[in-house]
Amino acid sequence: MEHKRSYKYHVEPREADLTKRLTLAGLSDCLLNVACSDAKLSGYGSNDLGPNAGWVILRMGLEVTRLPEELEDITIATWVSDANRLATTRNFEVRDSSGAQIASAVSIWAALDLESRKPLNLNEFDFYSSAIQDFPMPNTPPERLTSPESLIKYTHQVLYSYVDANGHTYSINYLRMALDTLPLETITNHAPVRLDINFMHETRYGERLTIVSDGSPNPLFEILAADGTPACRIRIVWKPVPQNE
Amino acid sequence: MEHKRSYKYHVEPREADLTKRLTLAGLSDCLLNVACSDAKLSGYGSNDLGPNAGWVILRMGLEVTRLPEELEDITIATWVSDANRLATTRNFEVRDSSGAQIASAVSIWAALDLESRKPLNLNEFDFYSSAIQDFPMPNTPPERLTSPESLIKYTHQVLYSYVDANGHTYSINYLRMALDTLPLETITNHAPVRLDINFMHETRYGERLTIVSDGSPNPLFEILAADGTPACRIRIVWKPVPQNE
C-alpha cells in the first residue's frame, strides 16, 4: 500500500469544551479509535492477534497546531512506520477540510498476552511485516517522562465510567484525570502545543489512584496505582491564547 | 418530508463496558448527537434560533431491547412529532444492521434564551411548524420522576471533563455520575430495559453535587445542585442477565 489510509471524523458538540473546540482528550480518543479501526481493517486488529491477545498503547507524542472546532470535519491519516520484536510505531496526521495539517502524533504500541500481561514477539506475526510503510514520522517520537517533583497530590477512584471492556482504566481517562486537576482558566486560556503521555502500568476498577502534579506552567503529572506503582506520566506544553481572540 | 431521517453510527470500543456493549450513557450520547445534527440539518439548530439561544433537553424516556456491541454499526432514525409553545417532542428508533429495532426513545426539548435561561416561544418560530412529522411515538413518553426516599448519598464535584461548551454539566454526565455509584456487578449483571431522566436545573463547573440513590433494584436517583436544588432525576429499570450467556 503506497498511500496513508485516512478516516473522517465529525467533532460532536459534546466533545468540545468552553473554547468550543475538541478537547485534548477527545482528540486523543479519536486517534485511538482510528488506530483500532485501521489495525482491524488491515487484518491485524486485537482479535487477529490470537485468543486473549490485544494491542496496548505504551507512549504517545502529540503535536497540535490548532484543535478543531465543534461540528468541524477532520481527516486522520494513519500508518505504521516501524516494528521491532516488542513495539511498533503508529503515526497520525490530522487535517482540516482545507487539507491543512492541524495536528500529528507518533504512538508506540505493544501486543500483549492479556492473561500473563507479557508482550508478544511481533516478529512472529508474519502478516505484520507487510504493515510497515516508509513515510517519515510527522513529529518527534514520544518522550520517556520522569517523575515530577511532588508538589500537589489529588486522588481519583476508578469507577464504572472510567474502565474499558477489560476492566482497566481506559488510557485516555488518565489524561482526563490530569486535566481535571487544573483550574478551568488554565485550560481555556491556553492552547496545547505538545502532549507526551507514557502508559506504564494498568489500574483497575475500584482502585484509588494518586495524581501528582508539579504545578508548573507546562505541567508534568504522574498517576500512581493504589500500591504506589507509576501507572501513567503526562506532560503538556501550552501556549497562552489571547482572550477575545 | 415523508420519511424519518436516519443517521449511521459505529460503536467504538472505548464506548463499550465490560459487557462489550455500548454503555447506556454512550447510547444516550448518540441520541443527543443525532438530535443536534438533525436539528442543524433541518435548519433549526441551536445557531438558527438566534443569538444566545439554544436547545436544552428536559426529559427522555429510553427503552432498550438490547444494547449494541462494540464495533457494531447501528442506524438511528429521528423525527419531531409534536411542538407546543414551550416544548417539543423528538423521537428516536435505533436499529441494527439487520433492520431490527433494538432501542427507542422519546425526548422533550425546550429552546432557551441562554442569558435569561427563560424558554422561547416555539410558536414564534414559523420554520418549526414544518418540522412536525405525524409518526406515532415509539414508546411511552418520559415520566416525571419524584424525589427518592433518601437512602445513600454520594458527592461529585463538577470538574473540567464534565462540563459542556456552555460551562454547564453536560446532561448525560448526570447519568454517568449515577451509574458510577452502583457496584460494577449491578451494571454487568443487568441489562437496561428502560431509562427515564428528567433535567431540571443546570449546574456549573466547580459545584459539589449530591447524588441521592434509593438503593432499590430498579434505582431512582436524584442529583442535587450545591444549593440543594434538584438538578436531575433518573430511574433505571433493569432485567437480570444470565451469566455465561
Side-chain angles (χ1 to χ4, degrees):
Chain A
M1 195 170 63
E2 301 271 319
H3 67 283
K4 302 165 184 171
R5 207 182 267 141
S6 283
Y7 297 82
K8 288 182 188 302
Y9 192 77
H10 177 73
V11 179
E12 300 289 354
R14 71 167 163 111
E15 297 172 312
D17 68 9
L18 286 153
T19 66
K20 313 276 185 193
R21 293 180 182 275
L22 182 61
T23 64
L24 200 51
L27 178 60
S28 303
D29 284 339
C30 262
L31 301 184
L32 264 61
N33 287 339
V34 161
C36 176
S37 297
D38 191 65
K40 186 171 180 245
L41 193 64
S42 306
Y44 48 81
S46 284
N47 290 337
D48 301 305
L49 297 177
N52 288 317
W55 289 108
V56 295
I57 184 166
L58 303 179
R59 290 183 294 285
M60 182 166 71
L62 168 66
E63 296 198 353
V64 180
T65 309
R66 72 169 182 88
L67 288 167
E69 293 175 28
E70 62 178 11
L71 302 176
E72 190 171 342
D73 290 302
I74 57 176
T75 302
I76 302 168
T78 186
W79 71 101
V80 171
S81 64
D82 193 20
N84 60 32
R85 205 167 60 85
L86 293 179
T88 181
T89 305
R90 177 177 284 281
N91 307 282
F92 304 92
E93 284 169 352
V94 183
R95 294 180 187 278
D96 65 17
S97 57
S98 78
Q101 183 171 309
I102 59 173
S104 65
V106 177
S107 60
I108 313 293
W109 299 71
L112 278 202
D113 180 312
L114 295 178
E115 286 193 355
S116 69
R117 313 308 297 176
K118 295 229 184 308
L120 303 176
N121 182 346
L122 293 177
N123 292 341
E124 291 177 5
F125 293 108
D126 288 341
F127 58 85
Y128 201 66
S129 56
S130 65
I132 313 294
Q133 290 187 280
D134 191 24
F135 299 111
M137 284 194 291
N139 53 254
T140 56
E143 283 184 46
R144 285 180 187 270
L145 302 170
T146 53
S147 290
E149 295 291 316
S150 171
L151 184 67
I152 321 173
K153 287 190 182 182
Y154 306 86
T155 59
H156 183 104
Q157 192 173 13
V158 180
L159 298 173
Y160 168 67
S161 66
Y162 278 75
V163 299
D164 63 16
N166 297 311
H168 296 115
T169 305
Y170 165 61
S171 48
I172 303 304
N173 284 338
Y174 293 114
L175 177 59
R176 291 195 164 85
M177 290 175 207
L179 291 170
D180 274 353
T181 68
L182 296 172
L184 193 59
E185 299 69 34
T186 302
I187 302 172
T188 55
N189 295 349
H190 291 79
V193 172
R194 172 144 182 139
L195 164 75
D196 286 278
I197 185 164
N198 297 180
F199 303 100
M200 303 156 73
H201 180 73
E202 288 163 321
T203 60
R204 301 191 72 88
Y205 176 78
E207 270 191 67
R208 189 168 289 276
L209 311 184
T210 302
I211 306 165
V212 181
S213 166
D214 73 351
S216 71
N218 291 320
L220 175 62
F221 298 96
E222 184 172 61
I223 299 171
L224 304 164
D227 68 0
T229 310
C232 181
R233 292 185 187 133
I234 297 167
R235 188 174 52 212
I236 303 169
V237 177
W238 313 92
K239 64 182 177 194
V241 174
Q243 296 305 293
N244 305 312
E245 193 186 33
Chain B
M1 196 170 63
E2 302 270 319
H3 68 283
K4 302 166 184 171
R5 207 182 270 142
S6 283
Y7 298 82
K8 289 184 187 303
Y9 192 78
H10 177 73
V11 179
E12 300 290 354
R14 73 169 162 110
E15 297 172 313
D17 67 10
L18 287 152
T19 67
K20 313 273 185 196
R21 291 180 184 276
L22 182 62
T23 64
L24 200 51
L27 178 59
S28 303
D29 284 338
C30 263
L31 301 183
L32 264 59
N33 286 339
V34 161
C36 176
S37 298
D38 191 64
K40 186 171 179 245
L41 192 63
S42 305
Y44 48 81
S46 284
N47 290 337
D48 301 305
L49 297 177
N52 288 315
W55 289 108
V56 295
I57 183 166
L58 302 179
R59 291 183 293 285
M60 182 165 72
L62 167 66
E63 297 198 352
V64 180
T65 310
R66 73 169 181 87
L67 288 168
E69 294 174 29
E70 60 178 12
L71 301 176
E72 191 172 339
D73 290 302
I74 57 176
T75 302
I76 302 168
T78 187
W79 72 99
V80 171
S81 64
D82 194 20
N84 60 34
R85 204 168 60 84
L86 293 179
T88 180
T89 305
R90 177 177 284 282
N91 307 282
F92 304 92
E93 284 169 351
V94 182
R95 294 180 187 278
D96 66 17
S97 56
S98 79
Q101 184 173 309
I102 59 173
S104 64
V106 177
S107 60
I108 313 292
W109 299 71
L112 278 202
D113 180 312
L114 295 178
E115 286 194 355
S116 70
R117 313 309 294 175
K118 295 227 184 309
L120 302 176
N121 182 345
L122 294 177
N123 292 341
E124 291 177 6
F125 293 107
D126 287 341
F127 59 84
Y128 201 67
S129 57
S130 65
I132 312 295
Q133 290 186 281
D134 191 24
F135 300 111
M137 283 194 291
N139 54 254
T140 56
E143 283 185 46
R144 284 180 187 270
L145 302 170
T146 53
S147 289
E149 296 290 317
S150 171
L151 186 66
I152 322 172
K153 286 190 184 183
Y154 307 85
T155 58
H156 182 103
Q157 192 174 11
V158 180
L159 297 174
Y160 168 67
S161 66
Y162 278 75
V163 299
D164 64 14
N166 297 312
H168 296 113
T169 305
Y170 165 61
S171 49
I172 303 305
N173 284 338
Y174 293 115
L175 178 58
R176 293 195 163 85
M177 289 175 207
L179 290 169
D180 274 352
T181 68
L182 296 172
L184 193 60
E185 300 69 35
T186 303
I187 302 172
T188 56
N189 295 348
H190 290 80
V193 172
R194 174 147 180 134
L195 164 75
D196 287 278
I197 184 164
N198 297 180
F199 302 101
M200 303 156 73
H201 180 73
E202 288 163 321
T203 60
R204 300 191 72 88
Y205 176 79
E207 273 192 64
R208 188 168 288 277
L209 310 184
T210 302
I211 306 165
V212 181
S213 165
D214 73 351
S216 72
N218 291 319
L220 176 62
F221 298 96
E222 184 172 63
I223 300 171
L224 304 165
D227 68 0
T229 309
C232 181
R233 291 184 186 133
I234 296 167
R235 188 172 53 212
I236 303 168
V237 178
W238 312 92
K239 62 181 179 196
V241 174
Q243 295 304 295
N244 304 310
E245 192 185 32

PDB file of all heavy atoms in Angstrom, chain B residues 6-33:
ATOM      1  N   SER B   6     -32.372   9.320   8.904  1.00  0.00           N
ATOM      2  CA  SER B   6     -31.571   8.348   9.646  1.00  0.00           C
ATOM      3  C   SER B   6     -30.094   8.712   9.652  1.00  0.00           C
ATOM      4  O   SER B   6     -29.598   9.315   8.706  1.00  0.00           O
ATOM      5  CB  SER B   6     -31.695   6.960   9.013  1.00  0.00           C
ATOM      6  OG  SER B   6     -32.917   6.389   9.361  1.00  0.00           O
ATOM      7  N   TYR B   7     -29.430   8.302  10.712  1.00  0.00           N
ATOM      8  CA  TYR B   7     -28.003   8.551  10.891  1.00  0.00           C
ATOM      9  C   TYR B   7     -27.325   7.240  11.250  1.00  0.00           C
ATOM     10  O   TYR B   7     -27.849   6.478  12.055  1.00  0.00           O
ATOM     11  CB  TYR B   7     -27.789   9.592  12.000  1.00  0.00           C
ATOM     12  CG  TYR B   7     -28.416  10.917  11.650  1.00  0.00           C
ATOM     13  CD1 TYR B   7     -29.777  11.145  11.865  1.00  0.00           C
ATOM     14  CD2 TYR B   7     -27.669  11.914  11.043  1.00  0.00           C
ATOM     15  CE1 TYR B   7     -30.372  12.341  11.492  1.00  0.00           C
ATOM     16  CE2 TYR B   7     -28.245  13.114  10.670  1.00  0.00           C
ATOM     17  CZ  TYR B   7     -29.602  13.324  10.898  1.00  0.00           C
ATOM     18  OH  TYR B   7     -30.179  14.509  10.524  1.00  0.00           O
ATOM     19  N   LYS B   8     -26.156   7.028  10.671  1.00  0.00           N
ATOM     20  CA  LYS B   8     -25.396   5.812  10.959  1.00  0.00           C
ATOM     21  C   LYS B   8     -24.445   6.075  12.109  1.00  0.00           C
ATOM     22  O   LYS B   8     -23.940   7.181  12.276  1.00  0.00           O
ATOM     23  CB  LYS B   8     -24.595   5.387   9.730  1.00  0.00           C
ATOM     24  CG  LYS B   8     -25.482   4.833   8.623  1.00  0.00           C
ATOM     25  CD  LYS B   8     -24.642   4.333   7.460  1.00  0.00           C
ATOM     26  CE  LYS B   8     -25.517   3.936   6.290  1.00  0.00           C
ATOM     27  NZ  LYS B   8     -26.522   2.918   6.638  1.00  0.00           N
ATOM     28  N   TYR B   9     -24.178   5.034  12.879  1.00  0.00           N
ATOM     29  CA  TYR B   9     -23.246   5.171  13.983  1.00  0.00           C
ATOM     30  C   TYR B   9     -22.474   3.877  14.176  1.00  0.00           C
ATOM     31  O   TYR B   9     -23.047   2.787  14.107  1.00  0.00           O
ATOM     32  CB  TYR B   9     -24.001   5.545  15.274  1.00  0.00           C
ATOM     33  CG  TYR B   9     -23.043   5.961  16.352  1.00  0.00           C
ATOM     34  CD1 TYR B   9     -22.476   7.228  16.329  1.00  0.00           C
ATOM     35  CD2 TYR B   9     -22.671   5.070  17.341  1.00  0.00           C
ATOM     36  CE1 TYR B   9     -21.555   7.598  17.276  1.00  0.00           C
ATOM     37  CE2 TYR B   9     -21.745   5.441  18.307  1.00  0.00           C
ATOM     38  CZ  TYR B   9     -21.198   6.707  18.260  1.00  0.00           C
ATOM     39  OH  TYR B   9     -20.275   7.068  19.198  1.00  0.00           O
ATOM     40  N   HIS B  10     -21.181   4.024  14.420  1.00  0.00           N
ATOM     41  CA  HIS B  10     -20.294   2.870  14.633  1.00  0.00           C
ATOM     42  C   HIS B  10     -19.881   2.886  16.098  1.00  0.00           C
ATOM     43  O   HIS B  10     -19.395   3.907  16.595  1.00  0.00           O
ATOM     44  CB  HIS B  10     -19.076   3.014  13.709  1.00  0.00           C
ATOM     45  CG  HIS B  10     -18.060   1.933  13.872  1.00  0.00           C
ATOM     46  ND1 HIS B  10     -18.269   0.649  13.418  1.00  0.00           N
ATOM     47  CD2 HIS B  10     -16.831   1.935  14.436  1.00  0.00           C
ATOM     48  CE1 HIS B  10     -17.198  -0.088  13.694  1.00  0.00           C
ATOM     49  NE2 HIS B  10     -16.314   0.675  14.321  1.00  0.00           N
ATOM     50  N   VAL B  11     -20.110   1.786  16.805  1.00  0.00           N
ATOM     51  CA  VAL B  11     -19.808   1.750  18.247  1.00  0.00           C
ATOM     52  C   VAL B  11     -18.304   1.541  18.439  1.00  0.00           C
ATOM     53  O   VAL B  11     -17.760   0.490  18.103  1.00  0.00           O
ATOM     54  CB  VAL B  11     -20.586   0.618  18.960  1.00  0.00           C
ATOM     55  CG1 VAL B  11     -20.244   0.594  20.439  1.00  0.00           C
ATOM     56  CG2 VAL B  11     -22.085   0.793  18.745  1.00  0.00           C
ATOM     57  N   GLU B  12     -17.634   2.564  18.938  1.00  0.00           N
ATOM     58  CA  GLU B  12     -16.182   2.487  19.175  1.00  0.00           C
ATOM     59  C   GLU B  12     -15.927   1.663  20.435  1.00  0.00           C
ATOM     60  O   GLU B  12     -16.697   1.751  21.404  1.00  0.00           O
ATOM     61  CB  GLU B  12     -15.609   3.891  19.370  1.00  0.00           C
ATOM     62  CG  GLU B  12     -15.808   4.831  18.187  1.00  0.00           C
ATOM     63  CD  GLU B  12     -14.973   4.453  16.972  1.00  0.00           C
ATOM     64  OE1 GLU B  12     -14.143   3.527  17.066  1.00  0.00           O
ATOM     65  OE2 GLU B  12     -15.163   5.084  15.917  1.00  0.00           O
ATOM     66  N   PRO B  13     -14.817   0.899  20.445  1.00  0.00           N
ATOM     67  CA  PRO B  13     -14.522   0.080  21.626  1.00  0.00           C
ATOM     68  C   PRO B  13     -14.456   0.892  22.926  1.00  0.00           C
ATOM     69  O   PRO B  13     -14.885   0.409  23.970  1.00  0.00           O
ATOM     70  CB  PRO B  13     -13.143  -0.514  21.295  1.00  0.00           C
ATOM     71  CG  PRO B  13     -13.078  -0.527  19.808  1.00  0.00           C
ATOM     72  CD  PRO B  13     -13.864   0.669  19.353  1.00  0.00           C
ATOM     73  N   ARG B  14     -13.966   2.134  22.862  1.00  0.00           N
ATOM     74  CA  ARG B  14     -13.856   2.918  24.107  1.00  0.00           C
ATOM     75  C   ARG B  14     -15.220   3.246  24.709  1.00  0.00           C
ATOM     76  O   ARG B  14     -15.304   3.691  25.849  1.00  0.00           O
ATOM     77  CB  ARG B  14     -13.085   4.212  23.860  1.00  0.00           C
ATOM     78  CG  ARG B  14     -13.892   5.225  23.086  1.00  0.00           C
ATOM     79  CD  ARG B  14     -13.281   6.598  23.033  1.00  0.00           C
ATOM     80  NE  ARG B  14     -13.854   7.368  21.957  1.00  0.00           N
ATOM     81  CZ  ARG B  14     -14.661   8.413  22.124  1.00  0.00           C
ATOM     82  NH1 ARG B  14     -14.997   8.812  23.327  1.00  0.00           N
ATOM     83  NH2 ARG B  14     -15.136   9.069  21.084  1.00  0.00           N
ATOM     84  N   GLU B  15     -16.297   3.069  23.933  1.00  0.00           N
ATOM     85  CA  GLU B  15     -17.638   3.363  24.438  1.00  0.00           C
ATOM     86  C   GLU B  15     -18.310   2.128  25.025  1.00  0.00           C
ATOM     87  O   GLU B  15     -19.436   2.206  25.492  1.00  0.00           O
ATOM     88  CB  GLU B  15     -18.503   3.929  23.312  1.00  0.00           C
ATOM     89  CG  GLU B  15     -17.963   5.252  22.797  1.00  0.00           C
ATOM     90  CD  GLU B  15     -18.687   5.708  21.561  1.00  0.00           C
ATOM     91  OE1 GLU B  15     -18.879   4.888  20.632  1.00  0.00           O
ATOM     92  OE2 GLU B  15     -19.062   6.881  21.516  1.00  0.00           O
ATOM     93  N   ALA B  16     -17.611   0.987  24.962  1.00  0.00           N
ATOM     94  CA  ALA B  16     -18.172  -0.259  25.484  1.00  0.00           C
ATOM     95  C   ALA B  16     -17.673  -0.488  26.905  1.00  0.00           C
ATOM     96  O   ALA B  16     -16.598  -0.029  27.277  1.00  0.00           O
ATOM     97  CB  ALA B  16     -17.758  -1.417  24.592  1.00  0.00           C
ATOM     98  N   ASP B  17     -18.469  -1.185  27.691  1.00  0.00           N
ATOM     99  CA  ASP B  17     -18.022  -1.505  29.049  1.00  0.00           C
ATOM    100  C   ASP B  17     -17.620  -2.975  29.114  1.00  0.00           C
ATOM    101  O   ASP B  17     -17.371  -3.618  28.083  1.00  0.00           O
ATOM    102  CB  ASP B  17     -19.086  -1.123  30.085  1.00  0.00           C
ATOM    103  CG  ASP B  17     -20.338  -1.976  29.978  1.00  0.00           C
ATOM    104  OD1 ASP B  17     -20.338  -2.983  29.233  1.00  0.00           O
ATOM    105  OD2 ASP B  17     -21.331  -1.639  30.655  1.00  0.00           O
ATOM    106  N   LEU B  18     -17.523  -3.514  30.308  1.00  0.00           N
ATOM    107  CA  LEU B  18     -17.064  -4.889  30.490  1.00  0.00           C
ATOM    108  C   LEU B  18     -17.958  -5.906  29.787  1.00  0.00           C
ATOM    109  O   LEU B  18     -17.541  -7.027  29.535  1.00  0.00           O
ATOM    110  CB  LEU B  18     -17.035  -5.221  31.992  1.00  0.00           C
ATOM    111  CG  LEU B  18     -15.886  -4.554  32.743  1.00  0.00           C
ATOM    112  CD1 LEU B  18     -16.262  -4.333  34.193  1.00  0.00           C
ATOM    113  CD2 LEU B  18     -14.647  -5.431  32.654  1.00  0.00           C
ATOM    114  N   THR B  19     -19.199  -5.541  29.503  1.00  0.00           N
ATOM    115  CA  THR B  19     -20.102  -6.450  28.805  1.00  0.00           C
ATOM    116  C   THR B  19     -19.842  -6.433  27.298  1.00  0.00           C
ATOM    117  O   THR B  19     -20.539  -7.126  26.554  1.00  0.00           O
ATOM    118  CB  THR B  19     -21.577  -6.056  29.062  1.00  0.00           C
ATOM    119  OG1 THR B  19     -21.820  -4.781  28.440  1.00  0.00           O
ATOM    120  CG2 THR B  19     -21.886  -5.953  30.553  1.00  0.00           C
ATOM    121  N   LYS B  20     -18.856  -5.622  26.857  1.00  0.00           N
ATOM    122  CA  LYS B  20     -18.511  -5.448  25.421  1.00  0.00           C
ATOM    123  C   LYS B  20     -19.659  -4.809  24.640  1.00  0.00           C
ATOM    124  O   LYS B  20     -19.768  -4.977  23.422  1.00  0.00           O
ATOM    125  CB  LYS B  20     -18.119  -6.786  24.755  1.00  0.00           C
ATOM    126  CG  LYS B  20     -17.146  -7.635  25.543  1.00  0.00           C
ATOM    127  CD  LYS B  20     -15.719  -7.288  25.259  1.00  0.00           C
ATOM    128  CE  LYS B  20     -14.764  -8.242  25.983  1.00  0.00           C
ATOM    129  NZ  LYS B  20     -13.410  -7.702  26.033  1.00  0.00           N
ATOM    130  N   ARG B  21     -20.532  -4.145  25.354  1.00  0.00           N
ATOM    131  CA  ARG B  21     -21.648  -3.454  24.712  1.00  0.00           C
ATOM    132  C   ARG B  21     -21.564  -1.954  25.001  1.00  0.00           C
ATOM    133  O   ARG B  21     -21.007  -1.544  26.023  1.00  0.00           O
ATOM    134  CB  ARG B  21     -22.985  -3.979  25.253  1.00  0.00           C
ATOM    135  CG  ARG B  21     -23.265  -5.406  24.824  1.00  0.00           C
ATOM    136  CD  ARG B  21     -24.589  -5.895  25.383  1.00  0.00           C
ATOM    137  NE  ARG B  21     -24.798  -7.281  25.033  1.00  0.00           N
ATOM    138  CZ  ARG B  21     -25.308  -7.702  23.872  1.00  0.00           C
ATOM    139  NH1 ARG B  21     -25.697  -6.819  22.966  1.00  0.00           N
ATOM    140  NH2 ARG B  21     -25.450  -8.982  23.610  1.00  0.00           N
ATOM    141  N   LEU B  22     -22.141  -1.172  24.103  1.00  0.00           N
ATOM    142  CA  LEU B  22     -22.245   0.276  24.300  1.00  0.00           C
ATOM    143  C   LEU B  22     -22.903   0.539  25.646  1.00  0.00           C
ATOM    144  O   LEU B  22     -23.882  -0.110  26.009  1.00  0.00           O
ATOM    145  CB  LEU B  22     -23.088   0.867  23.160  1.00  0.00           C
ATOM    146  CG  LEU B  22     -23.289   2.380  23.141  1.00  0.00           C
ATOM    147  CD1 LEU B  22     -21.969   3.124  22.991  1.00  0.00           C
ATOM    148  CD2 LEU B  22     -24.220   2.779  22.000  1.00  0.00           C
ATOM    149  N   THR B  23     -22.376   1.480  26.402  1.00  0.00           N
ATOM    150  CA  THR B  23     -22.976   1.802  27.690  1.00  0.00           C
ATOM    151  C   THR B  23     -24.291   2.565  27.479  1.00  0.00           C
ATOM    152  O   THR B  23     -24.528   3.148  26.426  1.00  0.00           O
ATOM    153  CB  THR B  23     -22.033   2.676  28.530  1.00  0.00           C
ATOM    154  OG1 THR B  23     -21.849   3.928  27.849  1.00  0.00           O
ATOM    155  CG2 THR B  23     -20.673   2.003  28.726  1.00  0.00           C
ATOM    156  N   LEU B  24     -25.098   2.569  28.515  1.00  0.00           N
ATOM    157  CA  LEU B  24     -26.352   3.330  28.488  1.00  0.00           C
ATOM    158  C   LEU B  24     -26.049   4.820  28.277  1.00  0.00           C
ATOM    159  O   LEU B  24     -26.768   5.512  27.542  1.00  0.00           O
ATOM    160  CB  LEU B  24     -27.066   3.104  29.823  1.00  0.00           C
ATOM    161  CG  LEU B  24     -28.546   3.357  29.944  1.00  0.00           C
ATOM    162  CD1 LEU B  24     -29.355   2.668  28.864  1.00  0.00           C
ATOM    163  CD2 LEU B  24     -29.037   2.909  31.323  1.00  0.00           C
ATOM    164  N   ALA B  25     -24.990   5.303  28.899  1.00  0.00           N
ATOM    165  CA  ALA B  25     -24.602   6.713  28.709  1.00  0.00           C
ATOM    166  C   ALA B  25     -24.105   6.937  27.280  1.00  0.00           C
ATOM    167  O   ALA B  25     -24.415   7.964  26.666  1.00  0.00           O
ATOM    168  CB  ALA B  25     -23.537   7.103  29.726  1.00  0.00           C
ATOM    169  N   GLY B  26     -23.366   5.972  26.738  1.00  0.00           N
ATOM    170  CA  GLY B  26     -22.876   6.096  25.361  1.00  0.00           C
ATOM    171  C   GLY B  26     -24.022   6.118  24.358  1.00  0.00           C
ATOM    172  O   GLY B  26     -24.011   6.896  23.397  1.00  0.00           O
ATOM    173  N   LEU B  27     -25.041   5.290  24.581  1.00  0.00           N
ATOM    174  CA  LEU B  27     -26.216   5.301  23.699  1.00  0.00           C
ATOM    175  C   LEU B  27     -26.939   6.646  23.818  1.00  0.00           C
ATOM    176  O   LEU B  27     -27.378   7.221  22.812  1.00  0.00           O
ATOM    177  CB  LEU B  27     -27.156   4.143  24.063  1.00  0.00           C
ATOM    178  CG  LEU B  27     -28.450   4.060  23.266  1.00  0.00           C
ATOM    179  CD1 LEU B  27     -28.190   3.921  21.760  1.00  0.00           C
ATOM    180  CD2 LEU B  27     -29.320   2.890  23.743  1.00  0.00           C
ATOM    181  N   SER B  28     -27.034   7.166  25.034  1.00  0.00           N
ATOM    182  CA  SER B  28     -27.689   8.464  25.236  1.00  0.00           C
ATOM    183  C   SER B  28     -26.901   9.590  24.556  1.00  0.00           C
ATOM    184  O   SER B  28     -27.483  10.494  23.960  1.00  0.00           O
ATOM    185  CB  SER B  28     -27.826   8.752  26.730  1.00  0.00           C
ATOM    186  OG  SER B  28     -28.547   7.712  27.373  1.00  0.00           O
ATOM    187  N   ASP B  29     -25.563   9.526  24.643  1.00  0.00           N
ATOM    188  CA  ASP B  29     -24.712  10.478  23.906  1.00  0.00           C
ATOM    189  C   ASP B  29     -25.073  10.480  22.425  1.00  0.00           C
ATOM    190  O   ASP B  29     -25.239  11.530  21.809  1.00  0.00           O
ATOM    191  CB  ASP B  29     -23.241  10.058  23.983  1.00  0.00           C
ATOM    192  CG  ASP B  29     -22.572  10.356  25.312  1.00  0.00           C
ATOM    193  OD1 ASP B  29     -23.056  11.231  26.053  1.00  0.00           O
ATOM    194  OD2 ASP B  29     -21.542   9.705  25.594  1.00  0.00           O
ATOM    195  N   CYS B  30     -25.152   9.267  21.850  1.00  0.00           N
ATOM    196  CA  CYS B  30     -25.506   9.092  20.436  1.00  0.00           C
ATOM    197  C   CYS B  30     -26.798   9.810  20.086  1.00  0.00           C
ATOM    198  O   CYS B  30     -26.883  10.492  19.079  1.00  0.00           O
ATOM    199  CB  CYS B  30     -25.815   7.618  20.171  1.00  0.00           C
ATOM    200  SG  CYS B  30     -24.522   6.695  19.537  1.00  0.00           S
ATOM    201  N   LEU B  31     -27.817   9.596  20.921  1.00  0.00           N
ATOM    202  CA  LEU B  31     -29.130  10.173  20.619  1.00  0.00           C
ATOM    203  C   LEU B  31     -29.049  11.700  20.663  1.00  0.00           C
ATOM    204  O   LEU B  31     -29.608  12.380  19.801  1.00  0.00           O
ATOM    205  CB  LEU B  31     -30.187   9.649  21.602  1.00  0.00           C
ATOM    206  CG  LEU B  31     -30.365   8.127  21.629  1.00  0.00           C
ATOM    207  CD1 LEU B  31     -31.495   7.744  22.584  1.00  0.00           C
ATOM    208  CD2 LEU B  31     -30.642   7.555  20.248  1.00  0.00           C
ATOM    209  N   LEU B  32     -28.342  12.232  21.633  1.00  0.00           N
ATOM    210  CA  LEU B  32     -28.213  13.691  21.722  1.00  0.00           C
ATOM    211  C   LEU B  32     -27.420  14.255  20.539  1.00  0.00           C
ATOM    212  O   LEU B  32     -27.749  15.322  20.008  1.00  0.00           O
ATOM    213  CB  LEU B  32     -27.587  14.113  23.060  1.00  0.00           C
ATOM    214  CG  LEU B  32     -28.625  14.488  24.124  1.00  0.00           C
ATOM    215  CD1 LEU B  32     -29.576  13.356  24.436  1.00  0.00           C
ATOM    216  CD2 LEU B  32     -27.960  14.985  25.390  1.00  0.00           C
ATOM    217  N   ASN B  33     -26.392  13.524  20.113  1.00  0.00           N
ATOM    218  CA  ASN B  33     -25.640  13.966  18.933  1.00  0.00           C
ATOM    219  C   ASN B  33     -26.531  13.972  17.697  1.00  0.00           C
ATOM    220  O   ASN B  33     -26.482  14.902  16.889  1.00  0.00           O
ATOM    221  CB  ASN B  33     -24.451  13.031  18.674  1.00  0.00           C
ATOM    222  CG  ASN B  33     -23.330  13.238  19.670  1.00  0.00           C
ATOM    223  OD1 ASN B  33     -23.234  14.276  20.305  1.00  0.00           O
ATOM    224  ND2 ASN B  33     -22.479  12.234  19.802  1.00  0.00           N
TER     225      ASN B  33
END
